[in-house]
Amino acid sequence: MNILIFAVTALFAMVIALSVGLFALARQIGVLFERVSPMGALVNDSGPEVGQQTPLFNLPSLTGGAVALGPKPGRSTLVFFLSPTCPVCKKLLPVIESVRRAEGRWLDVVLASDGQKAQHERFIETAKLSSYPYVVSTELGLAYRVARLPYAVLMDEHGVIRSKGLVNSREQFDSLFNAFDMKVPSIQTYLDGQHAVQH
């Protein structure tokens, strides 16, 4: 009988210890998630700032017609800077297509780059990009101070830059639209603000 009581007491103590350990582990996981918050598009400090008017451009498209960047009644514009030699850019092309299909009722997507026209024409053909406006302009990249690719700029119907940054993943791409919807310069700005409020 004494052995049975001892066994039950030991089991009860083990259950209590495991419960305390599980609670401590859950708390540490919560702290870890707070520290490793989602990373938005990497915003650089150069070029036109979020909240400023975009530089105005009217550029010929390699896929036909012309592309006007600036105020566009009822239509926002996403400019995606890419290169035929950038593997991450190519990886994000299905994301671009998904965005265009999902947000096409209010958003125009423009692909932009610089370099040799013939190389871009081959890229348009092999990557099946003929349905996108595709501009090749060194001046456009310089205006936005694009130093690394892939890079995206999202502007509203008034031609005001609402979010921008280096995008290497679907999550970073989505952060541009989250910042647009939340009316904040970037997800990092929002998270830093929330962190400051909590402390």
Side-chain angles (χ1 to χ4, degrees), residues 161-176:
I161 298 169
R162 295 287 300 276
S163 58
K164 65 174 187 171
L166 188 70
V167 287
N168 291 317
S169 66
R170 175 71 195 232
E171 291 72 24
Q172 289 180 332
F173 215 102
D174 288 342
S175 75
L176 295 175

Side-chain angles (χ1 to χ4, degrees), residues 5-160:
I5 291 172
F6 175 77
V8 169
T9 303
L11 285 172
F12 183 71
M14 287 174 60
V15 168
I16 295 292
L18 286 171
S19 297
V20 170
L22 185 63
F23 175 77
L25 183 61
R27 187 175 184 284
Q28 286 303 314
I29 290 172
V31 169
L32 180 64
F33 270 112
E34 185 176 307
R35 287 182 184 165
V36 187
S37 50
M39 177 61 73
L42 305 175
V43 181
N44 60 18
D45 294 328
S46 59
E49 295 180 8
V50 173
Q52 288 185 341
Q53 196 79 18
T54 182
L56 303 179
F57 283 92
N58 195 353
L59 302 166
S61 169
L62 292 185
T63 55
V67 176
L69 296 179
K72 195 180 296 184
R75 306 290 297 175
S76 295
T77 304
L78 174 73
V79 183
F80 182 63
F81 290 89
L82 76 171
S83 167
T85 58
C86 166
V88 180
C89 300
K90 293 175 184 177
K91 184 187 80 171
L92 288 176
L93 288 177
V95 176
I96 292 287
E97 179 59 25
S98 173
V99 165
R100 186 170 71 158
R101 282 199 310 266
E103 312 298 339
R105 67 191 180 283
W106 63 276
L107 181 72
D108 293 329
V109 177
V110 175
L111 304 181
S113 192
D114 64 2
Q116 297 297 319
K117 180 180 174 184
Q119 183 183 30
H120 289 287
E121 288 174 338
R122 286 193 300 272
F123 181 51
I124 288 167
E125 184 178 350
T126 57
K128 298 180 172 54
L129 301 176
S130 59
S131 62
Y132 290 89
Y134 194 116
V135 297
V136 175
S137 169
T138 301
E139 292 76 17
L140 183 61
L142 289 173
Y144 286 112
R145 301 290 191 272
V146 177
R148 290 189 295 164
L149 298 173
Y151 193 85
V153 178
L154 181 58
M155 64 189 79
D156 66 18
E157 62 181 333
H158 306 293
V160 174

